Amino acid sequence: MRARVVDAGPLLFLARLGRLELLLLGADEVFVPMAVLAEIQQKPDPALESIQTLLGTWLAECSLASPQLLKLLPDLGAGEREVIIQALEQKVTSVVMDDLDARRVASEYRFPGR
């Protein structure tokens, strides 16, 4: 199975455009960490409805098996940290993030399929 993990910024951006299906290009499933969902639910946004409609289908909420690993990435936001750790735990093929520092950190890890 080809999967990816997505962060809040790209998830909301694509939801606002009505193009969440673009996350499936090259993937069968897209994981959304709990911290990312908590982040996007903090502010009212019409895009949340389309995200919540897809949760449980190809868009899957996920929690960390090893939350203690979060301390390895102290300089990133909660969502970005969970995206990277979740990607490593799930052995996914890609991550989708808009934060430059988080992308730099993620690029240091070797994800399967890269």
Side-chain angles (χ1 to χ4, degrees):
M1 172 177 59
R2 299 166 302 161
R4 70 176 34 106
V5 185
V6 65
D7 195 18
L11 184 63
L12 281 172
F13 178 75
L14 291 171
R16 289 175 188 143
L17 292 176
R19 299 301 308 266
L20 283 168
E21 76 280 358
L22 292 176
L23 290 170
L24 279 173
L25 291 175
D28 302 309
E29 187 172 25
V30 179
F31 294 110
V32 183
M34 289 178 20
V36 170
L37 285 175
E39 184 179 328
I40 65 174
Q41 292 169 346
Q42 287 179 359
K43 300 177 188 170
D45 192 315
L48 287 175
E49 186 177 335
S50 60
I51 294 168
Q52 291 171 333
T53 299
L54 290 173
L55 283 174
T57 62
W58 57 264
L59 191 62
E61 179 179 359
C62 58
S63 59
L64 296 176
S66 304
Q68 68 275 14
L69 295 177
L70 292 172
K71 66 183 176 188
L72 298 175
L73 305 169
D75 297 331
L76 299 177
E80 288 83 7
R81 292 185 314 158
E82 281 199 26
V83 166
I84 293 169
I85 298 301
Q86 190 68 53
L88 293 170
E89 286 183 349
Q90 295 290 334
K91 297 179 175 59
V92 301
T93 57
S94 67
V95 296
V96 182
M97 297 185 290
D98 59 346
D99 182 275
L100 181 59
D101 290 335
R103 290 194 328 255
R104 286 182 180 146
V105 170
S107 71
E108 294 174 10
Y109 294 95
R110 297 201 182 269
F111 293 105
R114 245 183 96 190

